[in-house]
Amino acid sequence: MSSGDENDLGDMFQEAAGYFPPEPAATYVEHTLLSGHILQLRLVGHNPLWGHHLWNGSQAVSKYLQNHGESEIRNQNVLELGAGAGLPSLVAAILGAQKVVVTDYPDRDLISNIERNIASCALIPDHTSTISALGYLWGYPATPLLSKLSPLPSTLDSEEPLGFDLLILADLLFNHSEHAALVYSVHSTLKRNSKSKALVFFTPYRPWLLEKDMAFFKLAVDAGFKVEKIWEEVLAAPMFEKDPGDELLRRTVFGYELRWTEGNLKVH
């Protein structure tokens, strides 16, 4: 290199074409409601938080909501944690929920994908006032979530308890290290009302860790909730057919509900 060229490095530090693999493209899946209507859902191309799948728990809790729409959804405030594509939240909005807040990890791709699914769902009566997406980390203060409720009570001592009528947690229990944070978020957001509930649906995709999955419910009981099993559905095939472990468990969806115990209906 001549002295005149010593500052001219050209493309020396330019990665060659194809050096980095392209980002996986988004995919689309169809989900048929019990009414026969078809929802098309966009899934992120790939995500370390597993938002690129439509999980068993999400589909099962959506079916549960459709079977109990009038009594459990209409005019209720609904919060979904770890929503992925947001299927249960979309179903809740379609069924007449008053307000639906759809949350997942505050990753730009995940949240914008949920927003796209909301905007493209023609079955929701009024997108702007009914349903919104928000990034939220489990275990963090719930103020941003509760602020979505209107009107917002000024204090926790208000006559109207602060919180959501229904929480949805679909296929989140595999994340064992986050159980305490999840319970904290449920405790912080579920309205102190005898009718309020959190729906927790999951498949034990790693059957040998089922006991660790179920440890979530022990934490929930310790936090002041009563736990009841409300759903068990055996699917035709496991979601990941080549995975190891008991196949029957890998194709079974379990559903539980959490409600406040009598002694925890009032804020102490």
Side-chain angles (χ1 to χ4, degrees):
M1 179 183 295
S2 68
S3 59
D5 293 333
E6 64 182 27
N7 293 320
D8 182 12
L9 300 180
D11 294 331
M12 181 176 177
F13 296 106
Q14 182 83 24
E15 290 87 2
Y19 181 81
F20 291 110
E23 288 288 326
T27 59
Y28 291 83
V29 294
E30 290 187 344
H31 180 83
T32 303
L33 302 178
L34 299 182
S35 64
H37 290 103
I38 296 176
L39 295 182
Q40 186 179 70
L41 298 166
R42 185 181 188 270
L43 306 176
V44 292
H46 182 76
N47 191 278
L49 302 171
W50 303 99
H52 53 293
H53 293 293
L54 183 61
W55 295 89
N56 290 344
S58 177
Q59 297 182 71
V61 75
S62 296
K63 186 186 298 184
Y64 174 89
L65 294 177
Q66 291 170 82
N67 285 331
H68 299 82
E70 280 295 326
S71 60
E72 308 227 355
I73 300 296
R74 187 166 297 280
N75 298 323
Q76 302 295 290
N77 292 319
V78 179
L79 169 67
E80 183 174 5
L81 300 173
L87 173 62
S89 291
L90 295 175
V91 169
I94 291 168
L95 293 173
Q98 177 173 292
K99 173 69 72 174
V100 182
V101 180
V102 199
T103 72
D104 209 322
Y105 186 85
D107 172 84
R108 180 178 55 82
D109 291 340
L110 281 176
I111 302 306
S112 64
N113 189 71
I114 294 172
E115 291 172 338
R116 290 180 67 158
N117 284 333
I118 292 172
S120 65
C121 185
L123 297 175
I124 298 176
D126 184 353
H127 299 75
T128 56
S129 64
T130 302
I131 182 169
S132 59
L134 188 67
Y136 173 68
L137 284 172
W138 306 334
Y140 276 65
T143 306
L145 308 179
L146 299 173
S147 68
K148 295 290 184 179
L149 298 177
S150 180
L152 181 65
S154 57
T155 70
L156 291 177
D157 294 325
S158 170
E159 291 183 5
E160 176 65 23
L162 181 65
F164 291 86
D165 304 292
L166 178 68
L167 269 59
I168 300 170
L169 290 72
D171 269 331
L172 306 183
L173 300 193
F174 72 92
N175 202 337
H176 303 142
S177 65
E178 296 300 314
H179 282 183
L182 267 177
V183 170
Y184 172 87
S185 293
V186 173
H187 194 277
S188 301
T189 57
L190 188 65
K191 182 185 288 186
R192 302 265 178 165
N193 184 299
S194 61
K195 295 181 180 180
S196 301
K197 65 170 67 174
L199 299 176
V200 185
F201 279 54
F202 75 103
T203 287
Y205 297 101
R206 301 170 295 177
W208 60 94
L209 295 178
L210 176 58
E211 186 174 347
K212 290 190 174 182
D213 294 342
M214 295 295 293
F216 169 85
F217 298 108
K218 172 62 166 61
L219 292 178
V221 169
D222 292 343
F225 295 103
K226 52 188 177 182
V227 177
E228 181 182 354
K229 184 179 179 183
I230 59 171
W231 186 276
E232 182 171 333
E233 179 182 7
V234 178
L235 306 176
M239 186 170 172
F240 305 105
E241 295 194 6
K242 295 183 179 181
D243 278 6
D246 186 297
E247 184 189 286
L248 179 59
L249 279 175
R250 290 190 294 115
R251 59 189 177 94
T252 301
V253 186
F254 299 99
Y256 292 79
E257 70 174 26
L258 310 182
R259 291 181 184 264
W260 292 108
T261 58
E262 190 69 30
N264 284 280
L265 288 176
K266 293 183 179 180
V267 179
H268 301 291

